[in-house]
């Protein structure tokens, strides 16, 4: 069965890795958010794409979920000696990825082609696809004014209240032929436990993406990134609340209403089952916390089994 996962961030990367382990090589395609991409010191950086790629390659730092395990930071230290503000942590091996991506983009290759080359070189068996080949940038509206996403997320530590989120350049974006083909041929589509506003949100905002998803005959499953009303990592709970959404599995389900057929929630949110089912979704309540490789593999198998059974 061909599976397409929509992902961004650490939670999405971890479930994608579980799906990759549970499926035959070549049966998983991961469509990744690229609206948090940005440039720094002349390098084109794709944080979500690289987090997913390193995790699928088995290279991720298990303590942070992002970056490369055992990486060093000598280049960053030298930049600091030159007086640069080293607010965004780039490891030495990580920097090689950004250098090569930048060179290949300047040579005229598309982000889709570059991602395929990098992931292939790292031995990733899954197909890794950017959500689009056009440049899209997430902008966060705060009481102090608009912030570029990495400014809000990393430099300012997500401490600003989020009053709104927009995606600069989204009107020019389109799903790539590779994304369209993957969705059309999928046997199951999974929305990973990623932030529904700034990780899954940009993917769904690409003009034509929702239509491609709804046009697919594959069952669609979303996995809640919130457990007991709290985000396991990142600001999703606070962001949902400040944007006027309920910070809960039920609140996430409302955002995906009309798009997905099933919702996976943690057992602690079992009391929300009836409300979610009232939105027209079937519900699987399980242990949705991925503490390690065993958990992500187990959860992936449960998601696949749940998805196969939807609508029967």
């Amino acid at each position: 069965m061909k599976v397409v996962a929509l992902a961004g961030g650490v939670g999405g990367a971890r479930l994608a890795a579980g799906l990759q382990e549970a499926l035959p090589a070549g049966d998983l395609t991961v469509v990744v958010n690229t609206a948090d991409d940005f440039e720094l010191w002349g390098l084109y950086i794709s944080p979500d794409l690289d987090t997913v790629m390193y995790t699928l390659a088995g290279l991720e730092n298990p303590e942070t979920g992002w970056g490369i395990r055992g990486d060093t930071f000598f280049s960053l230290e030298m930049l600091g000696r030159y007086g640069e503000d080293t607010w965004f942590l780039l490891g030495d091996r990580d920097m090689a990825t950004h250098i090569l991506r930048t060179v290949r983009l300047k040579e005229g290759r598309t982000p889709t082609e570059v991602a395929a080359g990098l992931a292939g070189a790292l031995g990733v068996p899954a197909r890794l696809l950017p959500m689009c080949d056009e440049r899209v940038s997430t902008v966060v509206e705060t009481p102090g004014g608009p912030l570029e996403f990495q400014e809000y997320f990393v430099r300012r530590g997500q401490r600003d209240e989020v009053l709104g989120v927009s995606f600069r350049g989204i009107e020019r974006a389109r799903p790539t032929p590779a994304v369209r083909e993957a969705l059309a041929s999928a046997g199951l589509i999974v929305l990973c436990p990623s932030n529904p506003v700034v990780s899954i949100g940009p993917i769904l905002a690409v003009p034509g993406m929702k239509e491609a998803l709804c046009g697919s005959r594959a069952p669609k499953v979303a996995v809640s990134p919130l457990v007991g009303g709290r985000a396991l990592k990142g600001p999703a709970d606070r962001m949902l609340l400040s944007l006027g959404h309920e910070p809960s599995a039920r609140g996430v389900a409302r955002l995906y209403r009309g798009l997905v057929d099933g919702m996976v929630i943690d057992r602690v949110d079992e009391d929300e089952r009836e409300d979610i089912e009232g939105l027209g979704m079937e519900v699987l309540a399980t242990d949705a916390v991925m503490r390690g490789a065993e958990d992500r593999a187990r959860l992936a198998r449960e998601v696949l089994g749940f998805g196969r059974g939807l609508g029967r």
Side-chain angles (χ1 to χ4, degrees), residues 150-166:
Q150 297 302 336
E151 181 83 10
Y152 155 78
F153 191 76
V154 178
R155 191 168 198 164
R156 296 178 62 81
Q158 311 145 43
R159 65 178 178 268
D160 298 271
E161 182 184 9
V162 177
L163 304 178
V165 173
S166 61

Side-chain angles (χ1 to χ4, degrees), residues 259-279:
L259 188 63
V260 304
D261 309 295
M263 191 81 189
V264 179
I265 64 174
D266 194 88
R267 288 193 183 95
V268 302
D269 298 314
E270 178 71 52
D271 61 340
E272 299 176 25
R273 172 189 291 272
E274 188 174 338
D275 290 340
I276 297 172
E277 289 176 339
L279 299 172

Side-chain angles (χ1 to χ4, degrees), residues 10-273:
V10 174
R14 286 175 174 167
L15 182 59
L19 292 169
Q20 178 178 260
E21 182 179 330
L23 293 165
D27 277 5
L28 175 66
T29 297
V30 188
V31 178
V32 186
N33 167 47
T34 54
D36 63 349
D37 292 9
F38 73 117
E39 291 189 28
L40 185 64
W41 297 309
L43 300 177
Y44 190 82
I45 301 170
S46 294
D48 271 9
L49 198 61
D50 290 340
T51 293
V52 174
M53 181 175 71
Y54 295 150
T55 304
L56 294 181
L59 298 174
E60 84 282 4
N61 182 340
E63 295 178 7
T64 60
W66 49 265
I68 297 176
R69 181 175 58 251
D71 212 347
T72 54
F73 295 88
F74 297 115
S75 296
L76 202 66
E77 289 171 11
M78 195 65 184
L79 284 164
R81 288 187 65 181
Y82 284 128
E84 291 294 303
D85 184 355
T86 56
W87 61 275
F88 194 87
L89 290 180
L90 294 177
D92 296 320
R93 282 183 284 175
D94 185 31
M95 203 170 294
T97 302
H98 311 315
I99 292 170
L100 199 53
R101 173 184 292 115
T102 304
V103 168
R104 290 179 175 176
L105 289 173
K106 287 183 176 179
E107 289 172 346
R109 303 189 207 187
T110 66
T112 295
E113 292 168 337
V114 174
L118 294 173
L122 295 181
V124 175
R127 192 179 187 197
L128 206 58
L129 297 177
M131 67 184 197
C132 62
D133 280 338
E134 295 80 11
R135 294 284 294 269
V136 177
S137 301
T138 297
V139 178
V140 178
E141 297 294 337
T142 73
L147 295 173
E148 298 293 326
F149 183 74
Q150 297 302 336
E151 181 83 10
Y152 155 78
F153 191 76
V154 178
R155 191 168 198 164
R156 296 178 62 81
Q158 311 145 43
R159 65 178 178 268
D160 298 271
E161 182 184 9
V162 177
L163 304 178
V165 173
S166 61
F167 308 116
R168 187 191 304 122
I170 196 73
E171 67 282 352
R172 298 187 301 273
R174 295 293 182 273
T176 63
V179 169
R180 289 186 180 276
E181 185 277 329
L183 293 172
S185 61
L188 175 66
I189 297 171
V190 179
L191 277 63
C192 288
S194 306
N195 187 313
V197 178
V198 294
S199 290
I200 301 297
I203 302 175
L204 299 179
V206 173
M209 187 69 77
K210 282 187 178 179
E211 290 79 1
L213 280 164
C214 292
S216 171
R217 299 174 65 181
K220 300 161 191 74
V221 176
V223 182
S224 175
L226 269 60
V227 173
R230 301 293 297 273
L232 297 175
K233 198 170 183 68
D237 48 357
R238 289 174 281 127
M239 190 175 283
L240 286 170
L241 183 63
S242 66
L243 290 174
H245 305 291
E246 181 182 341
S248 66
R250 177 172 47 223
V252 174
R254 286 176 182 145
L255 291 175
Y256 295 150
R257 184 177 190 175
L259 188 63
V260 304
D261 309 295
M263 191 81 189
V264 179
I265 64 174
D266 194 88
R267 288 193 183 95
V268 302
D269 298 314
E270 178 71 52
D271 61 340
E272 299 176 25
R273 172 189 291 272

